[in-house]
Amino acid sequence: MGKLRINIATSDYDHFRDIAMGRVEVEGIDLNYLNLTIEEIFYRFTLNREWEVSEMSMAKFVAQVAGDRPDILAIPVFPSRVFRLSNIYLPRGSDIKSPEQLAGKKMGTPEWAQTASVYTRGWLVDDVGIKLQDIDWYQAGVNQPGRTEKVKLNLPQGVKLTSMPETCLEELLLTGGVDAIMSAHPPDAYAAGNPDIVRLYPDYQKAEEEYYKRTKIFPIMHIIAIQTRVLDENPWVARNLLTAFQQARARSLYRIDEMTASRFLVPWLGSTLADRQELLGDDYFPYGIENNRTTLEAFLRWTYEQGITMKHLKVEELFPKTVQSSFK
């Protein structure tokens, strides 16, 4: 009996690379690995399910699981994790000097259901004390017109969200159409060094470290989704994939920690790693459910409160039972 043929698409990560290159095999599976850009992967899988296993936006994933497309589940493998107090941008000379001053302002966002924005809005509500209804929200592409929402929303009563597909957030920010924007991807002008756009938190790392110490939330941006039709026929697939991703992650962590030769283009990576371990612990980029329950529960609460999911999901509803426990 031959191996099960499965197509998978992810972006290019060092902690996935050993699977993509065949150095780590997935037991019982002949994997056809597609390395594509994040935007293309999300678009094609979210709308069309063009392959069986896919990297996916965390917000789009939970929206579909809780909505009218519950044909996917996930394994607790998290390709990308990024703290998001860095993603609030202002025009130079803005009178906004603290997050509390965002109340009553016009705020742009690429998509209401963008994962990064979910975390930032959760922080605004829980930590800053600003209600979603206290901000006038505008949705548009960051640097290009034409971007629209990809999932159905159920916005809370009193929340005003205006779609502006004919323009982009960078233009709105530079021309005074909005007072601030939040975006995982920085405006092109900012990335190019234009001084007319600044961050709310220039020293965002310090703010994010303090946030983690208070909340123990390490934002999960992406997840690995599997079509349930595959799991219905082959329930063992989820666990075997998880095992392979854990092995690939271990090999990546070894490369980061191994100082005989520098594997990454980051000077003094060893001292940087030591700082991260002091803050986040030895397992500073954890997979698994229990190691991430605090973050997952906060995210599921926020997606419900923000109208991205139609019901308040429980963590266990995201994953097949085969990966919710393990043998010893």
Side-chain angles (χ1 to χ4, degrees):
M1 183 176 178
K3 293 184 176 182
L4 179 66
R5 178 72 167 178
I6 285 183
N7 301 292
I8 180 173
T10 78
S11 189
D12 184 20
Y13 299 97
D14 186 77
H15 45 290
F16 286 5
R17 193 165 297 157
D18 287 292
I19 298 176
M21 298 182 69
R23 295 170 180 163
V24 170
E25 294 186 358
V26 186
E27 183 68 26
I29 295 176
D30 178 13
L31 208 59
N32 179 39
Y33 210 110
L34 306 173
N35 275 140
L36 303 171
T37 65
I38 290 171
E39 293 81 5
E40 182 176 1
I41 293 167
F42 288 2
Y43 180 85
R44 293 173 63 179
F45 188 77
T46 301
L47 296 181
N48 302 320
R49 301 285 196 265
E50 293 187 38
W51 32 78
E52 291 85 5
V53 181
S54 186
E55 182 177 0
M56 194 173 183
S57 153
M58 189 68 181
K60 305 297 190 303
F61 169 72
V62 299
Q64 294 197 332
V65 169
D68 57 2
R69 294 197 70 187
D71 60 339
I72 48 176
L73 287 171
I75 55 175
V77 168
F78 311 115
S80 175
R81 308 182 72 139
V82 185
F83 290 95
R84 288 304 186 188
L85 299 188
S86 62
N87 76 331
I88 302 177
Y89 298 90
L90 310 169
R92 182 178 58 172
S94 170
D95 60 356
I96 299 171
K97 306 301 180 185
S98 70
E100 291 81 5
Q101 293 176 301
L102 292 169
K105 302 297 186 180
K106 297 179 179 179
M107 172 78 80
T109 182
E111 293 178 34
W112 187 263
Q114 184 189 61
T115 303
S117 295
V118 172
Y119 282 103
T120 308
R121 289 192 301 265
W123 163 77
L124 280 174
V125 173
D126 288 3
D127 282 56
V128 182
I130 298 177
K131 296 179 180 178
L132 298 176
Q133 293 84 349
D134 293 340
I135 291 177
D136 193 4
W137 300 95
Y138 292 82
Q139 181 273 319
V142 182
N143 299 296
Q144 296 177 328
R147 188 164 177 172
T148 57
E149 296 287 343
K150 297 180 181 64
V151 296
K152 183 179 179 181
L153 301 175
N154 182 32
L155 293 176
Q157 186 174 1
V159 171
K160 181 183 178 184
L161 175 65
T162 302
S163 177
M164 303 190 72
E166 72 283 355
T167 187
C168 66
L169 297 181
E170 179 180 274
E171 181 179 352
L172 288 170
L173 191 66
L174 290 172
T175 60
V178 295
D179 301 298
I181 67 171
M182 58 172 65
S183 172
H185 193 289
D188 284 346
Y190 179 87
N194 187 333
D196 292 331
I197 299 178
V198 299
R199 279 191 164 111
L200 174 64
Y201 281 109
D203 188 3
Y204 58 83
Q205 182 173 323
K206 179 181 178 181
E208 291 169 347
E209 289 177 352
E210 291 173 350
Y211 174 75
Y212 177 78
K213 290 176 183 178
R214 286 197 316 274
T215 66
K216 300 304 177 185
I217 293 171
F218 184 0
I220 295 168
M221 295 293 115
H222 306 167
I223 201 164
I224 298 297
I226 307 172
Q227 293 195 46
T228 53
R229 63 175 177 81
V230 175
L231 299 175
D232 290 341
E233 298 175 2
N234 306 278
W236 53 270
V237 163
R239 169 60 63 179
N240 286 21
L241 281 169
L242 175 58
T243 297
F245 276 107
Q246 288 170 331
Q247 292 172 355
R249 169 184 172 273
R251 293 167 66 99
S252 177
L253 291 172
Y254 174 81
R255 288 192 289 270
I256 293 171
D257 197 41
E258 203 272 311
M259 288 291 106
T260 302
S262 55
R263 311 291 179 179
F264 299 90
L265 307 181
V266 183
W268 298 292
L269 180 59
S271 60
T272 301
L273 177 60
D275 291 341
R276 301 290 72 76
Q277 289 175 311
E278 182 177 353
L279 176 66
L280 301 169
D282 291 339
D283 189 6
Y284 55 87
F285 204 100
Y287 292 171
I289 297 172
E290 293 308 320
N291 289 343
N292 293 283
R293 186 171 288 277
T294 297
T295 298
L296 292 168
E297 288 182 344
F299 187 77
L300 293 178
R301 175 171 60 85
W302 289 331
T303 52
Y304 178 66
E305 292 174 350
Q306 296 174 20
I308 294 168
T309 57
M310 302 301 166
K311 65 176 182 177
H312 189 168
L313 291 168
K314 296 179 180 179
V315 171
E316 285 71 20
E317 293 181 81
L318 306 181
F319 307 102
K321 290 183 179 180
T322 53
V323 299
Q324 292 186 27
S325 61
S326 60
F327 67 89
K328 292 185 179 180

